[in-house]
Amino acid sequence: MTAIDRARTVAVVGTGTMGQGIAQVALLAGHPVRLYDAGPGRAREAAATVGARLDRLVEKGRLGREDAAGARARLHTADDLAELADAAIVVEAIVEHLPVKQQLFTALEEVVAEDCLLATNTSSLSVTAVAGPLKNPGRFVGMHFFNPAPLLPLVEVVSGFATDETSATRAWETAAAWGKTPVRCADTPGFIVNRIARPFYAEAFAVYEEQGADPATIDAVLRESGGFKMGPFELTDLIGQDVNEAVSRSVWESFFQSPKFVPSLAQRRLVESGRLGRKSGHGWFPYADAGASKPAPRTAGPQDAPEAVTVVGDLGHAAALVAMMEEAGIAVERVEAGGPYIELPGEGQLVPADGRTSVEYADVVYFDLALDYRGATRIALSASEDTSARAVEEATGLFQKLGKDVSVIGDVPGMIVARTVAMLIDLAADAVARGVASPGDIDTAMRLGVNYPLGPVEWSAALGQDWAYDLLKNLHECCPTGRYAPSLALHRQAFAAKEEGA
Protein backbone atom coordinates (compact mmCIF):
# COMPACT_ATOMS: atom_id res chain seq x y z
CA MET A 1 0.00 0.00 0.00
CA THR A 2 1.25 3.47 -0.88
CA ALA A 3 -1.65 5.35 0.67
CA ILE A 4 -0.60 8.38 2.68
CA ASP A 5 -0.06 7.47 6.32
CA ARG A 6 -2.84 8.62 8.61
CA ALA A 7 -0.36 10.39 10.82
CA ARG A 8 0.59 12.72 7.96
CA THR A 9 -1.12 16.07 7.40
CA VAL A 10 -3.68 16.63 4.65
CA ALA A 11 -3.90 20.25 3.53
CA VAL A 12 -7.04 21.55 1.82
CA VAL A 13 -6.82 24.85 -0.06
CA GLY A 14 -10.18 26.48 -0.68
CA THR A 15 -12.86 26.31 1.98
CA GLY A 16 -16.12 26.40 0.08
CA THR A 17 -18.60 23.53 0.19
CA MET A 18 -16.31 21.13 -1.63
CA GLY A 19 -13.21 22.05 0.37
CA GLN A 20 -15.09 21.58 3.63
CA GLY A 21 -16.38 18.21 2.45
CA ILE A 22 -12.93 16.96 1.47
CA ALA A 23 -11.55 18.14 4.81
CA GLN A 24 -14.27 16.21 6.63
CA VAL A 25 -13.48 13.05 4.66
CA ALA A 26 -9.77 13.25 5.50
CA LEU A 27 -10.48 14.06 9.15
CA LEU A 28 -12.75 11.06 9.63
CA ALA A 29 -10.10 8.89 7.96
CA GLY A 30 -7.81 9.84 10.84
CA HIS A 31 -5.55 12.51 9.33
CA PRO A 32 -4.53 15.84 10.79
CA VAL A 33 -6.09 18.40 8.44
CA ARG A 34 -5.04 21.98 7.81
CA LEU A 35 -7.39 24.39 6.03
CA TYR A 36 -6.18 27.37 4.05
CA ASP A 37 -8.11 30.03 2.17
CA ALA A 38 -6.86 33.28 0.63
CA GLY A 39 -9.93 35.08 1.98
CA PRO A 40 -9.32 36.50 5.48
CA GLY A 41 -11.15 34.54 8.16
CA ARG A 42 -12.65 32.00 5.76
CA ALA A 43 -10.53 29.08 6.94
CA ARG A 44 -11.66 29.61 10.54
CA GLU A 45 -15.28 29.89 9.45
CA ALA A 46 -14.92 26.67 7.49
CA ALA A 47 -13.34 24.89 10.45
CA ALA A 48 -16.30 25.94 12.60
CA THR A 49 -18.71 24.64 9.96
CA VAL A 50 -16.92 21.29 9.74
CA GLY A 51 -16.99 21.06 13.54
CA ALA A 52 -20.72 21.69 13.52
CA ARG A 53 -21.18 18.93 10.95
CA LEU A 54 -19.30 16.53 13.20
CA ASP A 55 -21.63 17.47 16.04
CA ARG A 56 -24.66 16.72 13.87
CA LEU A 57 -23.23 13.32 13.01
CA VAL A 58 -22.91 12.61 16.74
CA GLU A 59 -26.52 13.70 17.31
CA LYS A 60 -27.69 11.35 14.56
CA GLY A 61 -25.73 8.46 16.02
CA ARG A 62 -23.41 8.20 13.01
CA LEU A 63 -20.24 9.23 14.88
CA GLY A 64 -19.06 8.58 18.42
CA ARG A 65 -18.41 11.57 20.70
CA GLU A 66 -14.78 10.57 21.26
CA ASP A 67 -14.22 10.18 17.52
CA ALA A 68 -15.74 13.61 16.90
CA ALA A 69 -13.59 15.17 19.61
CA GLY A 70 -10.47 13.55 18.16
CA ALA A 71 -11.32 14.78 14.66
CA ARG A 72 -11.94 18.31 15.93
CA ALA A 73 -8.58 18.27 17.71
CA ARG A 74 -6.85 17.31 14.44
CA LEU A 75 -8.45 20.17 12.49
CA HIS A 76 -6.27 23.26 12.11
CA THR A 77 -6.24 26.40 10.00
CA ALA A 78 -3.42 28.22 8.26
CA ASP A 79 -3.05 31.95 7.64
CA ASP A 80 -0.21 31.52 5.17
CA LEU A 81 0.74 28.91 2.56
CA ALA A 82 4.06 28.44 4.39
CA GLU A 83 2.13 26.73 7.20
CA LEU A 84 1.34 23.85 4.81
CA ALA A 85 5.02 22.81 4.67
CA ASP A 86 4.42 19.56 6.57
CA ALA A 87 1.59 18.36 4.32
CA ALA A 88 1.85 14.94 2.68
CA ILE A 89 -0.87 15.90 0.21
CA VAL A 90 -2.46 19.21 -0.75
CA VAL A 91 -5.94 19.04 -2.29
CA GLU A 92 -7.05 22.24 -4.02
CA ALA A 93 -10.73 23.21 -4.32
CA ILE A 94 -10.65 26.85 -5.39
CA VAL A 95 -12.22 28.77 -8.26
CA GLU A 96 -12.29 27.04 -11.67
CA HIS A 97 -9.90 29.49 -13.32
CA LEU A 98 -6.72 28.12 -14.86
CA PRO A 99 -4.27 30.99 -14.13
CA VAL A 100 -5.39 31.14 -10.50
CA LYS A 101 -4.85 27.41 -10.00
CA GLN A 102 -1.49 27.53 -11.77
CA GLN A 103 -0.35 30.41 -9.56
CA LEU A 104 -1.40 28.52 -6.42
CA PHE A 105 0.44 25.32 -7.26
CA THR A 106 3.55 27.19 -8.41
CA ALA A 107 3.63 28.83 -4.96
CA LEU A 108 2.93 25.53 -3.18
CA GLU A 109 5.81 23.85 -4.98
CA GLU A 110 8.17 26.23 -3.20
CA VAL A 111 6.67 25.38 0.21
CA VAL A 112 5.94 21.66 0.47
CA ALA A 113 8.40 18.77 0.62
CA GLU A 114 9.46 16.92 -2.51
CA ASP A 115 7.36 13.86 -1.59
CA CYS A 116 4.17 15.90 -1.14
CA LEU A 117 1.40 14.91 -3.55
CA LEU A 118 -0.34 17.84 -5.23
CA ALA A 119 -3.97 17.32 -6.27
CA THR A 120 -6.65 19.43 -7.91
CA ASN A 121 -10.36 18.83 -7.50
CA THR A 122 -11.13 20.49 -10.83
CA SER A 123 -14.12 19.16 -12.74
CA SER A 124 -13.71 21.20 -15.92
CA LEU A 125 -10.06 22.14 -16.45
CA SER A 126 -7.24 20.10 -17.91
CA VAL A 127 -5.12 18.51 -15.18
CA THR A 128 -2.19 18.66 -17.60
CA ALA A 129 -2.68 22.40 -18.11
CA VAL A 130 -2.91 23.13 -14.38
CA ALA A 131 0.40 21.32 -13.85
CA GLY A 132 2.02 22.92 -16.90
CA PRO A 133 4.14 25.57 -15.07
CA LEU A 134 5.35 23.18 -12.34
CA LYS A 135 8.96 22.11 -11.99
CA ASN A 136 7.84 18.61 -11.03
CA PRO A 137 4.48 17.87 -12.71
CA GLY A 138 5.00 14.17 -12.09
CA ARG A 139 3.58 14.44 -8.58
CA PHE A 140 0.48 16.28 -9.74
CA VAL A 141 -2.89 14.49 -10.13
CA GLY A 142 -6.56 15.21 -10.35
CA MET A 143 -8.74 13.99 -7.47
CA HIS A 144 -12.26 14.84 -8.54
CA PHE A 145 -14.66 14.38 -5.62
CA PHE A 146 -18.40 14.57 -6.14
CA ASN A 147 -20.61 16.88 -4.13
CA PRO A 148 -21.38 16.34 -1.27
CA ALA A 149 -17.96 14.80 -0.76
CA PRO A 150 -18.69 13.17 2.64
CA LEU A 151 -21.66 11.28 1.17
CA LEU A 152 -20.85 10.42 -2.44
CA PRO A 153 -18.34 7.57 -2.76
CA LEU A 154 -16.83 8.26 -6.19
CA VAL A 155 -13.44 9.91 -6.74
CA GLU A 156 -12.03 10.23 -10.25
CA VAL A 157 -8.23 9.98 -10.03
CA VAL A 158 -6.97 11.73 -13.14
CA SER A 159 -3.49 11.33 -14.60
CA GLY A 160 -2.23 14.35 -16.49
CA PHE A 161 0.13 13.95 -19.43
CA ALA A 162 3.15 14.26 -17.11
CA THR A 163 1.76 12.50 -14.01
CA ASP A 164 3.98 9.71 -12.68
CA GLU A 165 2.34 6.30 -12.35
CA THR A 166 3.45 6.14 -8.70
CA SER A 167 1.67 9.44 -7.96
CA ALA A 168 -1.57 8.26 -9.54
CA THR A 169 -1.39 4.99 -7.62
CA ARG A 170 -0.70 6.84 -4.38
CA ALA A 171 -3.70 9.11 -4.94
CA TRP A 172 -5.92 6.11 -5.80
CA GLU A 173 -4.88 4.16 -2.71
CA THR A 174 -5.25 7.23 -0.50
CA ALA A 175 -8.81 7.80 -1.73
CA ALA A 176 -9.57 4.12 -1.09
CA ALA A 177 -8.11 4.40 2.42
CA TRP A 178 -10.45 7.34 3.02
CA GLY A 179 -13.41 5.05 2.35
CA LYS A 180 -14.05 6.23 -1.19
CA THR A 181 -14.42 4.27 -4.43
CA PRO A 182 -11.71 5.64 -6.73
CA VAL A 183 -11.56 5.12 -10.47
CA ARG A 184 -8.61 5.96 -12.69
CA CYS A 185 -8.77 7.89 -15.92
CA ALA A 186 -6.61 9.83 -18.33
CA ASP A 187 -6.82 13.60 -18.61
CA THR A 188 -9.68 14.02 -21.06
CA PRO A 189 -12.40 16.70 -21.20
CA GLY A 190 -15.05 15.84 -18.62
CA PHE A 191 -12.96 12.93 -17.30
CA ILE A 192 -15.28 9.88 -17.14
CA VAL A 193 -18.62 11.01 -15.75
CA ASN A 194 -19.00 14.45 -17.33
CA ARG A 195 -17.79 13.13 -20.69
CA ILE A 196 -19.97 10.05 -20.95
CA ALA A 197 -23.08 11.49 -19.26
CA ARG A 198 -23.67 14.19 -21.92
CA PRO A 199 -26.18 12.11 -23.99
CA PHE A 200 -28.43 11.64 -20.97
CA TYR A 201 -29.19 15.35 -21.15
CA ALA A 202 -28.54 16.01 -24.84
CA GLU A 203 -30.85 13.33 -26.26
CA ALA A 204 -33.72 14.32 -23.99
CA PHE A 205 -33.32 17.96 -24.99
CA ALA A 206 -33.12 16.92 -28.66
CA VAL A 207 -36.41 14.98 -28.43
CA TYR A 208 -37.97 18.07 -26.89
CA GLU A 209 -36.53 20.36 -29.58
CA GLU A 210 -37.85 17.96 -32.23
CA GLN A 211 -41.32 18.38 -30.68
CA GLY A 212 -41.37 14.66 -29.95
CA ALA A 213 -42.54 14.98 -26.37
CA ASP A 214 -42.78 17.43 -23.48
CA PRO A 215 -40.26 17.53 -20.58
CA ALA A 216 -42.53 15.81 -18.04
CA THR A 217 -43.21 12.91 -20.42
CA ILE A 218 -39.55 12.48 -21.36
CA ASP A 219 -38.55 12.46 -17.69
CA ALA A 220 -41.26 9.91 -16.86
CA VAL A 221 -40.20 7.57 -19.67
CA LEU A 222 -36.53 7.66 -18.64
CA ARG A 223 -37.47 7.01 -15.00
CA GLU A 224 -40.24 4.46 -15.38
CA SER A 225 -38.95 2.61 -18.43
CA GLY A 226 -35.22 3.32 -18.44
CA GLY A 227 -34.74 2.87 -14.70
CA PHE A 228 -32.97 6.22 -14.15
CA LYS A 229 -33.56 7.77 -10.73
CA MET A 230 -34.36 11.20 -12.13
CA GLY A 231 -35.21 12.53 -15.56
CA PRO A 232 -32.81 14.98 -17.24
CA PHE A 233 -35.19 17.93 -17.06
CA GLU A 234 -35.82 17.65 -13.32
CA LEU A 235 -32.17 16.81 -12.70
CA THR A 236 -30.83 19.85 -14.55
CA ASP A 237 -33.36 22.01 -12.68
CA LEU A 238 -31.80 20.65 -9.47
CA ILE A 239 -28.19 21.09 -10.65
CA GLY A 240 -28.86 24.53 -12.12
CA GLN A 241 -29.36 25.09 -15.84
CA ASP A 242 -26.41 27.49 -15.97
CA VAL A 243 -24.10 24.95 -14.32
CA ASN A 244 -25.18 22.02 -16.49
CA GLU A 245 -25.11 24.07 -19.69
CA ALA A 246 -21.64 25.38 -18.86
CA VAL A 247 -20.32 21.82 -18.44
CA SER A 248 -21.92 20.75 -21.73
CA ARG A 249 -20.46 23.74 -23.53
CA SER A 250 -17.02 23.20 -21.97
CA VAL A 251 -16.90 19.54 -23.06
CA TRP A 252 -18.10 20.47 -26.58
CA GLU A 253 -15.47 23.20 -26.94
CA SER A 254 -12.73 21.00 -25.46
CA PHE A 255 -13.48 18.38 -28.14
CA PHE A 256 -13.08 21.06 -30.82
CA GLN A 257 -16.85 21.41 -31.22
CA SER A 258 -17.43 17.77 -32.04
CA PRO A 259 -21.02 17.05 -33.16
CA LYS A 260 -21.11 14.27 -30.57
CA PHE A 261 -21.27 16.89 -27.81
CA VAL A 262 -23.33 19.73 -29.33
CA PRO A 263 -25.11 21.65 -26.53
CA SER A 264 -28.85 22.30 -26.55
CA LEU A 265 -30.18 25.56 -27.98
CA ALA A 266 -33.33 25.15 -25.89
CA GLN A 267 -31.24 24.96 -22.71
CA ARG A 268 -29.23 28.01 -23.84
CA ARG A 269 -32.48 29.98 -24.18
CA LEU A 270 -33.54 28.81 -20.73
CA VAL A 271 -30.30 30.14 -19.23
CA GLU A 272 -30.58 33.41 -21.16
CA SER A 273 -34.08 33.91 -19.78
CA GLY A 274 -32.84 33.50 -16.19
CA ARG A 275 -34.81 30.29 -15.67
CA LEU A 276 -32.01 28.44 -13.93
CA GLY A 277 -34.05 25.82 -12.10
CA ARG A 278 -34.97 25.45 -8.47
CA LYS A 279 -32.58 28.18 -7.32
CA SER A 280 -34.33 30.80 -9.47
CA GLY A 281 -37.87 29.52 -8.93
CA HIS A 282 -38.30 28.35 -12.53
CA GLY A 283 -36.44 26.14 -14.96
CA TRP A 284 -38.01 23.53 -17.18
CA PHE A 285 -40.64 23.38 -14.45
CA PRO A 286 -42.02 26.07 -12.07
CA TYR A 287 -40.95 26.14 -8.40
CA ALA A 288 -41.66 29.66 -7.12
CA ASP A 289 -45.23 28.89 -6.05
CA ALA A 290 -45.17 26.39 -3.20
CA GLY A 291 -48.57 25.15 -4.27
CA ALA A 292 -47.64 24.74 -7.92
CA SER A 293 -47.92 21.19 -9.18
CA LYS A 294 -45.41 19.67 -11.55
CA PRO A 295 -46.79 19.02 -15.04
CA ALA A 296 -48.01 15.44 -15.49
CA PRO A 297 -46.56 13.20 -18.19
CA ARG A 298 -48.69 12.56 -21.25
CA THR A 299 -50.50 9.26 -20.66
CA ALA A 300 -52.79 7.56 -23.15
CA GLY A 301 -56.38 6.83 -22.26
CA PRO A 302 -57.60 3.23 -21.95
CA GLN A 303 -57.73 1.10 -25.09
CA ASP A 304 -58.82 -2.47 -25.72
CA ALA A 305 -56.01 -5.01 -25.87
CA PRO A 306 -55.80 -7.36 -28.85
CA GLU A 307 -56.96 -10.90 -28.14
CA ALA A 308 -54.17 -12.42 -30.22
CA VAL A 309 -50.88 -11.35 -31.82
CA THR A 310 -48.12 -12.92 -33.88
CA VAL A 311 -44.51 -12.55 -32.76
CA VAL A 312 -42.26 -12.55 -35.82
CA GLY A 313 -38.56 -13.22 -35.28
CA ASP A 314 -36.52 -12.82 -32.08
CA LEU A 315 -37.48 -9.77 -30.02
CA GLY A 316 -34.05 -9.82 -28.38
CA HIS A 317 -33.95 -7.65 -25.27
CA ALA A 318 -37.77 -7.43 -25.42
CA ALA A 319 -38.25 -11.22 -25.48
CA ALA A 320 -39.82 -11.12 -22.00
CA LEU A 321 -42.89 -9.55 -23.60
CA VAL A 322 -43.86 -12.91 -25.11
CA ALA A 323 -44.35 -14.59 -21.75
CA MET A 324 -45.93 -11.45 -20.32
CA MET A 325 -48.54 -11.37 -23.10
CA GLU A 326 -49.36 -15.03 -22.60
CA GLU A 327 -49.69 -14.52 -18.85
CA ALA A 328 -52.05 -11.63 -19.52
CA GLY A 329 -54.33 -13.87 -21.62
CA ILE A 330 -53.23 -12.67 -25.07
CA ALA A 331 -52.81 -15.57 -27.50
CA VAL A 332 -49.36 -15.54 -29.08
CA GLU A 333 -48.44 -17.23 -32.33
CA ARG A 334 -44.72 -17.43 -33.17
CA VAL A 335 -43.02 -17.16 -36.54
CA GLU A 336 -39.26 -17.65 -36.41
CA ALA A 337 -38.25 -16.12 -39.73
CA GLY A 338 -38.25 -12.35 -40.28
CA GLY A 339 -38.97 -9.52 -37.90
CA PRO A 340 -38.43 -8.63 -35.22
CA TYR A 341 -41.92 -7.27 -34.60
CA ILE A 342 -45.28 -8.06 -33.07
CA GLU A 343 -48.00 -8.26 -35.70
CA LEU A 344 -51.25 -6.75 -34.45
CA PRO A 345 -54.75 -7.93 -35.49
CA GLY A 346 -55.21 -4.90 -37.76
CA GLU A 347 -51.97 -5.87 -39.52
CA GLY A 348 -49.99 -3.02 -37.92
CA GLN A 349 -46.55 -3.88 -36.63
CA LEU A 350 -45.23 -3.15 -33.14
CA VAL A 351 -41.45 -2.84 -33.52
CA PRO A 352 -38.61 -2.38 -30.97
CA ALA A 353 -36.93 1.03 -31.36
CA ASP A 354 -34.17 0.63 -33.94
CA GLY A 355 -33.24 4.17 -34.98
CA ARG A 356 -35.72 4.38 -37.85
CA THR A 357 -38.97 6.35 -38.09
CA SER A 358 -42.55 5.13 -38.52
CA VAL A 359 -43.01 7.33 -41.58
CA GLU A 360 -40.65 5.03 -43.48
CA TYR A 361 -43.10 2.11 -43.27
CA ALA A 362 -46.73 1.35 -44.00
CA ASP A 363 -48.19 0.87 -40.54
CA VAL A 364 -45.49 0.67 -37.87
CA VAL A 365 -45.64 1.65 -34.19
CA TYR A 366 -42.31 1.70 -32.38
CA PHE A 367 -41.91 0.85 -28.68
CA ASP A 368 -39.03 2.06 -26.55
CA LEU A 369 -36.30 0.22 -24.70
CA ALA A 370 -36.92 -0.73 -21.07
CA LEU A 371 -34.33 -1.65 -18.47
CA ASP A 372 -36.67 -4.45 -17.40
CA TYR A 373 -39.92 -4.92 -19.30
CA ARG A 374 -41.53 -6.67 -16.34
CA GLY A 375 -40.55 -4.01 -13.87
CA ALA A 376 -41.20 -1.00 -16.11
CA THR A 377 -44.33 0.96 -15.24
CA ARG A 378 -44.42 3.07 -18.41
CA ILE A 379 -43.67 2.43 -22.07
CA ALA A 380 -43.30 5.01 -24.83
CA LEU A 381 -44.77 4.39 -28.28
CA SER A 382 -44.14 6.44 -31.39
CA ALA A 383 -46.01 6.67 -34.66
CA SER A 384 -46.19 8.96 -37.67
CA GLU A 385 -49.21 10.91 -38.86
CA ASP A 386 -49.72 8.22 -41.50
CA THR A 387 -49.86 5.37 -38.97
CA SER A 388 -53.40 4.07 -38.62
CA ALA A 389 -55.31 4.94 -35.48
CA ARG A 390 -56.14 1.27 -35.09
CA ALA A 391 -52.46 0.26 -34.92
CA VAL A 392 -51.76 2.89 -32.25
CA GLU A 393 -54.84 1.89 -30.25
CA GLU A 394 -54.01 -1.83 -30.40
CA ALA A 395 -50.38 -1.20 -29.42
CA THR A 396 -51.52 1.03 -26.55
CA GLY A 397 -54.06 -1.51 -25.35
CA LEU A 398 -51.50 -4.30 -25.48
CA PHE A 399 -49.08 -2.55 -23.13
CA GLN A 400 -51.92 -1.39 -20.89
CA LYS A 401 -53.00 -5.04 -20.61
CA LEU A 402 -49.45 -5.74 -19.37
CA GLY A 403 -49.95 -3.18 -16.59
CA LYS A 404 -48.05 -0.27 -18.14
CA ASP A 405 -48.86 3.38 -18.50
CA VAL A 406 -48.39 4.35 -22.13
CA SER A 407 -47.00 7.61 -23.50
CA VAL A 408 -47.54 8.07 -27.23
CA ILE A 409 -44.91 10.47 -28.57
CA GLY A 410 -44.04 11.87 -31.98
CA ASP A 411 -42.24 9.99 -34.73
CA VAL A 412 -38.84 10.18 -33.04
CA PRO A 413 -36.06 7.99 -34.49
CA GLY A 414 -34.55 5.82 -31.77
CA MET A 415 -37.28 6.97 -29.35
CA ILE A 416 -36.13 8.20 -25.90
CA VAL A 417 -34.51 5.51 -23.76
CA ALA A 418 -33.04 3.54 -26.66
CA ARG A 419 -31.23 6.44 -28.32
CA THR A 420 -29.97 7.69 -24.95
CA VAL A 421 -28.56 4.30 -23.98
CA ALA A 422 -27.08 3.75 -27.44
CA MET A 423 -25.21 7.05 -27.23
CA LEU A 424 -23.96 6.26 -23.72
CA ILE A 425 -22.68 2.91 -24.97
CA ASP A 426 -20.97 4.57 -27.94
CA LEU A 427 -19.16 7.19 -25.85
CA ALA A 428 -18.10 4.53 -23.35
CA ALA A 429 -16.73 2.27 -26.09
CA ASP A 430 -14.84 5.20 -27.60
CA ALA A 431 -13.39 6.15 -24.19
CA VAL A 432 -12.17 2.60 -23.58
CA ALA A 433 -10.60 2.42 -27.04
CA ARG A 434 -8.79 5.70 -26.47
CA GLY A 435 -7.37 4.58 -23.12
CA VAL A 436 -9.39 7.04 -21.06
CA ALA A 437 -10.44 4.41 -18.53
CA SER A 438 -11.07 0.70 -18.19
CA PRO A 439 -14.55 -0.75 -18.84
CA GLY A 440 -14.95 -1.57 -15.16
CA ASP A 441 -13.98 1.92 -14.02
CA ILE A 442 -16.36 3.48 -16.53
CA ASP A 443 -19.28 1.40 -15.29
CA THR A 444 -18.38 2.10 -11.66
CA ALA A 445 -18.11 5.83 -12.33
CA MET A 446 -21.48 6.05 -14.08
CA ARG A 447 -23.28 4.02 -11.45
CA LEU A 448 -21.80 5.88 -8.49
CA GLY A 449 -21.25 9.32 -10.02
CA VAL A 450 -24.65 9.80 -11.64
CA ASN A 451 -26.60 6.85 -10.20
CA TYR A 452 -27.27 5.05 -13.49
CA PRO A 453 -29.11 1.73 -13.17
CA LEU A 454 -26.40 0.03 -15.26
CA GLY A 455 -23.01 1.09 -16.49
CA PRO A 456 -22.88 1.57 -20.28
CA VAL A 457 -20.52 -1.37 -20.77
CA GLU A 458 -22.86 -3.60 -18.76
CA TRP A 459 -25.79 -2.30 -20.80
CA SER A 460 -24.01 -3.13 -24.03
CA ALA A 461 -23.33 -6.68 -22.86
CA ALA A 462 -26.98 -7.12 -21.87
CA LEU A 463 -28.38 -5.74 -25.15
CA GLY A 464 -25.86 -7.35 -27.48
CA GLN A 465 -22.54 -5.99 -28.70
CA ASP A 466 -24.03 -4.86 -32.03
CA TRP A 467 -27.32 -3.40 -30.71
CA ALA A 468 -26.10 0.17 -30.21
CA TYR A 469 -24.16 0.15 -33.48
CA ASP A 470 -27.20 -0.91 -35.51
CA LEU A 471 -29.46 1.68 -33.87
CA LEU A 472 -26.98 4.53 -34.26
CA LYS A 473 -26.24 3.60 -37.87
CA ASN A 474 -29.96 3.95 -38.64
CA LEU A 475 -30.15 7.17 -36.65
CA HIS A 476 -27.19 8.57 -38.56
CA GLU A 477 -29.01 7.88 -41.83
CA CYS A 478 -32.00 9.84 -40.51
CA CYS A 479 -29.87 12.67 -39.07
CA PRO A 480 -26.54 12.77 -40.95
CA THR A 481 -24.88 15.48 -38.86
CA GLY A 482 -22.18 13.23 -37.43
CA ARG A 483 -23.75 13.25 -33.99
CA TYR A 484 -25.03 9.69 -34.31
CA ALA A 485 -22.26 8.24 -36.48
CA PRO A 486 -21.05 5.16 -34.58
CA SER A 487 -17.50 5.44 -33.30
CA LEU A 488 -14.77 3.29 -34.79
CA ALA A 489 -14.64 1.41 -31.48
CA LEU A 490 -18.35 0.58 -31.70
CA HIS A 491 -17.94 -0.44 -35.36
CA ARG A 492 -15.18 -2.89 -34.43
CA GLN A 493 -17.19 -4.21 -31.49
CA ALA A 494 -20.29 -4.78 -33.64
CA PHE A 495 -18.32 -6.38 -36.48
CA ALA A 496 -16.71 -8.82 -34.05
CA ALA A 497 -20.14 -9.68 -32.62
CA LYS A 498 -21.61 -10.29 -36.07
CA GLU A 499 -18.63 -12.46 -37.11
CA GLU A 500 -19.00 -14.49 -33.92
CA GLY A 501 -22.72 -14.99 -34.53
CA ALA A 502 -22.31 -15.86 -38.22
Side-chain angles (χ1 to χ4, degrees), residues 157-181:
V157 177
V158 185
S159 291
F161 188 78
T163 302
D164 291 337
E165 177 66 20
T166 54
S167 298
T169 299
R170 192 179 185 203
W172 190 98
E173 292 190 349
T174 297
W178 291 358
K180 296 301 180 182
T181 303

Side-chain angles (χ1 to χ4, degrees), residues 47-67:
T49 300
V50 172
R53 288 178 181 172
L54 298 176
D55 291 339
R56 285 196 294 273
L57 290 175
V58 172
E59 292 170 4
K60 294 177 180 180
R62 298 177 184 172
L63 184 66
R65 292 189 180 278
E66 291 185 3
D67 292 333

Side-chain angles (χ1 to χ4, degrees), residues 183-195:
V183 294
R184 297 184 65 162
C185 66
D187 186 17
T188 185
F191 307 143
I192 298 176
V193 172
N194 280 329
R195 171 179 175 151

Side-chain angles (χ1 to χ4, degrees), residues 294-441:
K294 184 179 176 181
R298 184 174 179 177
T299 304
Q303 300 291 339
D304 293 331
E307 294 183 0
V309 298
T310 300
V311 174
V312 180
D314 182 3
L315 295 180
H317 58 274
L321 292 175
V322 176
M324 292 168 63
M325 289 187 290
E326 291 175 331
E327 292 164 10
I330 300 172
V332 178
E333 180 183 351
R334 294 178 179 82
V335 176
E336 291 187 7
Y341 60 84
I342 300 170
E343 186 173 332
L344 301 167
E347 298 186 354
Q349 296 178 353
L350 185 54
V351 182
D354 61 6
R356 298 184 177 95
T357 57
S358 293
V359 76
E360 300 174 52
Y361 302 97
D363 209 12
V364 163
V365 177
Y366 279 104
F367 67 93
D368 209 351
L369 174 68
L371 174 67
D372 170 16
Y373 282 97
R374 285 192 177 275
T377 57
R378 181 179 299 272
I379 292 291
L381 304 178
S382 70
S384 74
E385 294 180 356
D386 296 330
T387 306
S388 69
R390 180 176 178 180
V392 176
E393 290 165 1
E394 289 178 344
T396 300
L398 186 152
F399 277 105
Q400 289 174 338
K401 184 73 170 179
L402 302 184
K404 317 299 181 186
D405 287 331
V406 175
S407 293
V408 180
I409 67 172
D411 191 14
V412 176
M415 306 282 282
I416 299 172
V417 181
R419 72 195 270 181
T420 299
V421 171
M423 285 293 283
L424 292 171
I425 289 171
D426 185 50
L427 291 191
D430 184 61
V432 171
R434 294 178 184 275
V436 172
S438 70
D441 275 356

Side-chain angles (χ1 to χ4, degrees), residues 205 209 241-242 245-246 249 263-276 284:
F205 297 162
E209 290 174 341
Q241 297 301 331
D242 52 341
E245 201 261 353
R249 184 168 294 275
S264 163
L265 180 59
Q267 188 181 37
R268 176 93 291 257
R269 294 291 179 258
L270 205 65
V271 172
E272 290 173 340
S273 71
R275 295 190 169 190
L276 306 181
W284 295 109

Side-chain angles (χ1 to χ4, degrees), residues 461-502:
L463 294 170
Q465 296 297 310
D466 54 354
W467 176 85
Y469 174 82
D470 290 343
L471 188 144
L472 291 177
K473 185 178 179 182
N474 291 335
L475 248 176
H476 178 58
E477 291 179 1
C478 291
C479 312
T481 62
R483 175 177 181 141
Y484 301 109
S487 66
L488 178 59
L490 201 64
H491 172 81
R492 287 173 171 155
Q493 180 176 296
F495 184 81
K498 292 180 191 298
E499 283 290 297
E500 186 176 322

